Amino acid sequence: MVFDETDKGLVLRVRLTPNAATAGVKGLFKAAEGEEYLKINVRAAPEKNKANRELLGFLARETGIAKSCWEIVGGATDRYKRILLSGEREHIKIKLQHWLEKALSDD
């Protein structure tokens, strides 16, 4: 599973690739320590927070979860990111799970 439940909300693990030809979900990545990350490409460059802003906008659009619910809480300058989703937990969890199933079956 690419997200964890915490007392603050759900934390999604993403491996971001900036400067890609197309934006989108590109599957799963298993790190050396065994954690799974959702691989996402964005077109923006990794400068002046452009790639991070595009990532959060992409996630909000794709999942239907408001952009205000998404916050990068780890890895802001790294390709391995931890993104907190706050709000009504069960509703967000269901939306995220449905989107992940669809996104991973499409790639």
Side-chain angles (χ1 to χ4, degrees):
M1 186 62 62
V2 295
F3 67 87
D4 300 308
E5 293 189 54
T6 70
D7 57 339
K8 294 183 180 183
L10 303 177
V11 177
L12 178 67
R13 291 185 304 276
V14 172
R15 182 179 184 271
L16 182 66
T17 301
N19 289 327
T22 59
V25 175
K26 301 301 177 188
L28 296 174
F29 175 81
K30 193 164 196 167
E33 68 276 0
E35 283 189 315
E36 276 192 329
Y37 289 80
L38 184 63
K39 292 183 350 184
I40 298 179
N41 291 358
V42 295
R43 296 177 56 120
E47 58 190 30
K48 298 181 183 174
N49 213 26
K50 291 178 185 176
N52 287 340
R53 284 194 309 270
E54 183 180 339
L55 172 63
L56 295 180
F58 171 82
L59 289 168
R61 270 190 320 279
E62 291 291 310
T63 61
I65 299 170
K67 192 173 180 181
S68 60
C69 294
W70 300 86
E71 177 188 1
I72 296 175
V73 293
T77 59
D78 193 342
R79 78 172 47 236
Y80 297 97
K81 305 199 180 288
R82 295 189 184 279
I83 303 169
L84 176 67
L85 288 97
S86 56
E88 202 282 294
R89 184 181 308 238
E90 284 308 309
H91 175 73
I92 287 175
K93 184 177 178 181
I94 290 167
K95 280 186 121 173
L96 183 62
Q97 286 175 323
H98 285 298
W99 173 72
L100 284 169
E101 288 171 12
K102 182 183 180 310
L104 293 172
S105 69
D106 288 349
D107 87 310

